[in-house]
Amino acid sequence: MSNYHIKHLEEYFKVYRKSVREPEVFWEEIAEEHFIWRKRWDNVLSWDFSKPEVKWFEGAKLNITENCIDRHLRTKGDKTAILFEPNDPNEEAQHISYNELSERVNRFANVLKSKGVQKGDRVCIYLPMIPELAVSVLACARIGAVHSVVFAGFSATALATRINDSDCKMVITSDGSYRGAKTIDLKSIVDEALEDCSGVNTVLVAKRINSDINMVDNRDEWLQPLLDAASDDCPVEVMDAEDPLFILYTSGSTGMPKGMVHSTAGYMVQTAYSFKNVFQYRNDDIYWCTADIGWITGHSYIVYGPLSNGATTVMFEGVPSYPDFGRFWEVVEKHKVTQFYTAPTAIRALAKENLEFVDKYDLSSLKVLGSVGEPINEEAWHWYNDNVGKKKSPIADTWWQTETGSIMIAPLPYVTPTIPTYASLPLPGIQPVLMDENGKEISGNQVDGRLCIKYPWPSMARTIWGNHQRYKETYFSAFEGKYFTGDGALRDAVGYYRITGRVDDVIIVSGHNLGTAPIEDAINEHPAVAESAIVGFPHDIKGNALYGYITLKETGEGRDHDNLRKEINQIITEHIGPIAKLDKIQFTHGLPKTRSGKIMRRILRKIACNETSSLGDTSTLLNPEVVQAIMDNAL
Ligand code: WT7
């Protein structure tokens, strides 16, 4: 019997046990039954975490676009593959069928070829969330070029660094992008970046905002005329299982961004499998992930995972606050979205606004909610569950990383009972372990430690582009023979995992290990608090003391700060204990965030420690302007 789609808890446990007992048989069966291969593999898995080297489905030949597009054409040609919802709600949505997607990808692939792009070449894609983004990703994959998508919110410097690191010879961009009420001049960011990128010889420009932009002779070309002239038939490049599919940069705690390299076959198999199960996708569902394709979430769960299942995937160009804070829910109603996948930071932002924005829309189509990117705090979880899911749509709190390629720990909706803030159980094929500081595996339940994975999984990144040594040091050196995630987690009495946050965010106060997340959760319970971030700073007696940065909701704005400080420490005392009380509390109008919505604690830590001369690069932040304001008012 196929174990591709798990529908009951007993079945989950059975499949999970099998996947641990016989991981190769488990993955081989999935690979065999659900994909098109040009040649079968000779060997399911070979691995050695000390090198580290991991190969899945070695010897197999395939093309991922044949699996995401071609094979659906006979039965689902007219089905919507990509449902594009523009920034402006008055602009019509586009329903791009599998047939149409096929035609567009084939044409685009031929354009790439005509510009000299060959198998193995790197192509940088710097596009807003418009259909050309998904199409260009798939066009690269069709001809075996390695795509490197750079989120179109990154600065020219960040873009140039990424283009040069992986030696891209082409950049695909647009004349601009819409973001809420604003337009952004993407092309001039590319122009500025390319002053430092001598290896780029071609820039293809999609038209989106019809702005009058500068085109550089012999380098820049409008995309549309090239597409119109190209043939709509581009035979696939037959790839080896382990050929790189893409590079995606993720920032480390220090140094250059890391270009994580993902391979073809393993990535395809696991993103498809996890998509089907975590979202319990059924044939007529309309699935929407609000992430940008510039992040791994978009690669795996807007493009590859959904399309390899023949799904309808919504691509949203806009932002949650435009034209007002009801936009997400308006889109859910309009397209009768069945699965909705977003980030806790978006949920918290929307929870701050009037409930009417949610209540005026019909959300009854929703069956499954998802969360990703950081631990979802209890308050946000309940708001999401009560007001969006109406307590009837299970929340899949999905833990994973750019490096893991696929969701690793998550409840399967309608299968695994959910508990707020728990990512719950590992997906079949995933073997998490908790380790103590001395490198020993912690067995049993009701324990916490550092989260590692002790057995390879198909979609794991194979290396860091151009720096295998760094790959080894970052992920395989902290704990011998294991992949180290950088996260802390606890395992409760029934074996559920709760991700407690990056272990580098652990602060030791008077000899007590305090994670920042539970303290922040407690603070966020205060009715006047919108968001908070805790960092440590040196203290004569305690070793470290806690410094809290807190943003208030509108309702809390007029309140007396000293009273608020007392109340907040009272809540912390109640939730965690007096040991976790904050020594300093600074109220601020915003917290520095990365483009993916993570609070940049590194910067806050420096300010708390009075080390502001070495703040490092803040240009890639979503809101660099708040840093100065926080510094000016530091305690
Ligand atoms: C880090 C990876 C995976 C796509 C988005 C982020 C944190 C992610 C959760 C979750 C608690 C989470 C971890 C992880 N994280 N999801 N459900 N609960 N923490 O990808 O930028 O590579 O970040 O995000 O700390 O290590 P990323």
Side-chain angles (χ1 to χ4, degrees), residues 248-251 260 291 295-298 301 341 344 371-376 396-407 409-410 421-423 451 483 485-488 498-505 594 596 598:
L248 186 61
Y249 287 87
T250 184
S251 19
M260 304 313 304
W295 311 116
I296 190 71
T297 308
Y301 299 109
Y341 189 28
S371 170
V372 62
E374 57 177 319
I376 176 164
D397 177 359
T398 64
W399 176 84
W400 58 299
Q401 311 176 295
T402 303
E403 295 85 339
T404 68
S406 301
I407 296 169
I409 305 181
T421 77
Y422 280 78
L451 182 63
Y483 168 86
T485 66
D487 284 319
R498 177 182 206 249
I499 313 304
T500 46
R502 306 293 305 185
V503 288
D504 27 18
D505 291 334
T594 65
S596 57
K598 284 195 185 56

Side-chain angles (χ1 to χ4, degrees), residues 63 113 247 273 364 505 538 547 568 585:
N63 187 286
K113 275 187 165 172
I247 299 170
Y273 177 73
S364 60
D505 291 334
Y547 193 124
I568 286 164
I585 297 180

Side-chain angles (χ1 to χ4, degrees), residues 320-370:
S321 55
Y322 178 80
D324 63 37
F325 287 98
R327 186 66 193 279
F328 273 1
W329 322 123
E330 186 244 332
V331 175
V332 168
E333 177 182 290
K334 176 170 162 195
H335 297 302
K336 300 199 169 45
V337 170
T338 44
Q339 287 92 350
F340 178 76
Y341 189 28
T342 196
T345 181
I347 298 166
R348 286 195 299 265
L350 295 172
K352 267 168 67 171
E353 304 301 325
N354 200 315
L355 253 188
E356 263 174 46
F357 286 120
V358 191
D359 288 343
K360 73 182 210 224
Y361 295 103
D362 175 7
L363 305 184
S364 60
S365 56
L366 287 172
K367 297 192 291 189
V368 170
L369 302 178

Side-chain angles (χ1 to χ4, degrees), residues 121-363:
D121 288 345
R122 274 80 57 204
V123 172
C124 174
I125 302 174
Y126 186 73
L127 279 172
M129 281 287 282
I130 56 176
E132 286 81 352
L133 173 48
V135 171
S136 60
V137 159
L138 292 162
C140 286
R142 194 159 186 90
I143 65 165
V146 178
H147 56 77
S148 169
V149 182
V150 176
F151 173 61
F154 274 126
S155 67
T157 319
L159 175 61
T161 307
R162 286 158 176 77
I163 290 172
N164 287 332
D165 182 69
S166 48
D167 262 323
C168 296
K169 61 195 284 189
M170 176 189 273
V171 177
I172 302 168
T173 188
S174 69
D175 61 346
S177 66
Y178 294 118
R179 198 179 158 75
K182 287 189 296 200
T183 55
I184 295 160
D185 185 0
L186 280 193
K187 178 61 168 50
S188 66
I189 299 173
V190 171
D191 289 344
E192 191 188 331
L194 292 191
E195 286 171 19
D196 299 319
C197 305
S198 54
V200 173
N201 49 39
T202 312
V203 178
L204 300 181
V205 187
K207 232 186 192 116
R208 176 57 181 140
I209 67 170
N210 290 312
S211 63
D212 185 17
I213 55 163
N214 171 45
M215 296 289 278
V216 176
D217 277 350
N218 297 321
R219 190 195 74 183
D220 303 352
E221 273 194 79
W222 290 105
L223 185 59
Q224 196 56 49
L226 298 171
L227 289 171
D228 292 341
S231 146
D232 61 3
D233 179 21
C234 178
V236 300
E237 185 77 38
V238 177
M239 306 297 284
D240 287 334
E242 282 293 321
D243 277 340
L245 175 63
F246 65 86
I247 299 170
L248 186 61
Y249 287 87
T250 184
S251 19
S253 38
T254 52
M256 277 277 296
K258 298 172 284 191
M260 304 313 304
V261 180
H262 281 281
S263 72
T264 306
Y267 178 82
M268 171 183 79
V269 169
Q270 198 175 347
T271 52
Y273 177 73
S274 54
F275 172 77
K276 178 75 179 175
N277 286 289
V278 173
F279 300 103
Q280 291 288 307
Y281 187 84
R282 310 269 172 157
N283 232 332
D284 295 322
D285 288 348
I286 309 287
Y287 161 89
W288 180 18
C289 165
T290 69
D292 192 290
I293 292 175
W295 311 116
I296 190 71
T297 308
H299 281 60
S300 302
Y301 299 109
I302 296 178
V303 181
Y304 290 113
L307 296 179
S308 60
N309 280 284
T312 297
T313 176
V314 176
M315 224 182 131
F316 176 48
E317 182 185 27
V319 294
S321 55
Y322 178 80
D324 63 37
F325 287 98
R327 186 66 193 279
F328 273 1
W329 322 123
E330 186 244 332
V331 175
V332 168
E333 177 182 290
K334 176 170 162 195
H335 297 302
K336 300 199 169 45
V337 170
T338 44
Q339 287 92 350
F340 178 76
Y341 189 28
T342 196
T345 181
I347 298 166
R348 286 195 299 265
L350 295 172
K352 267 168 67 171
E353 304 301 325
N354 200 315
L355 253 188
E356 263 174 46
F357 286 120
V358 191
D359 288 343
K360 73 182 210 224
Y361 295 103
D362 175 7
L363 305 184

